[in-house]
Amino acid sequence: RVFKSCGTNVKFFRNVEFSFGYNITCGSNTVFHRDTFVDDRGEITIGDNVSLSDYVNVYSHAHDILDINDVSLGDTRIGDGARLTYHSVALSGMKVGADAMVGTCAVVTRDIPDHHINVGIPAKTVKVKRRPG
């Protein structure tokens, strides 16, 4: 068993890498595109219908600035329907909200609210999705 729990219809492209695997909770219909890296020293929760594009990195640990041996473990969460696009990075302990989107090469250094589109380094909101209904 690789994940703590895993939903149905999860797809993995080639060269997907996990640090441990057993600290990951993954929902259904999620896609791990090629060369994604999920560092689950701490906890990682990935919701339903999530897309992690090529070369995305998701972290759950961080090193102290002064003492490299001082490692803190985070709880990183990717909400239902979220999309992390090409080469983006979610740092340890961050929350990417439901239906949110992280743009190409963006670095998530603070939580992203539901439905927000974030781009840049550090990632900042540039638009909020408006869903009909």
Side-chain angles (χ1 to χ4, degrees):
R1 185 171 188 175
V2 175
F3 289 176
K4 184 183 284 185
S5 70
C6 187
T8 60
N9 197 37
V10 176
K11 295 183 175 115
F12 301 92
F13 285 66
R14 66 181 171 83
N15 299 330
V16 175
E17 184 178 347
F18 307 100
S19 291
F20 300 96
Y22 53 77
N23 290 321
I24 299 171
T25 300
C26 183
S28 296
N29 303 309
T30 288
V31 180
F32 295 81
H33 290 269
R34 57 191 181 100
D35 297 297
T36 57
F37 174 65
V38 181
D39 161 56
D40 64 314
R41 268 193 198 182
E43 294 289 323
I44 301 223
T45 303
I46 300 170
D48 296 329
N49 304 304
V50 170
S51 176
L52 302 176
S53 294
D54 300 351
Y55 302 99
V56 163
N57 291 291
V58 179
Y59 291 95
S60 66
H61 86 281
H63 294 270
D64 182 78
I65 286 178
L66 299 175
D67 181 1
I68 195 166
N69 296 310
D70 182 5
V71 176
S72 61
L73 301 181
D75 182 5
T76 306
R77 297 179 175 271
I78 311 298
D80 293 343
R83 293 170 50 197
L84 279 72
T85 64
Y86 304 100
H87 296 272
S88 62
V89 176
L91 295 179
S92 177
M94 297 300 105
K95 178 185 176 213
V96 177
D99 192 42
M101 183 178 198
V102 179
T104 298
C105 295
V107 178
V108 179
T109 61
R110 61 182 152 237
D111 292 349
I112 297 175
D114 296 350
H115 314 292
H116 281 233
I117 298 171
N118 275 227
V119 300
I121 302 172
K124 294 180 183 172
T125 297
V126 293
K127 188 172 187 174
V128 179
K129 293 179 183 179
R130 300 284 182 222
R131 295 284 187 193

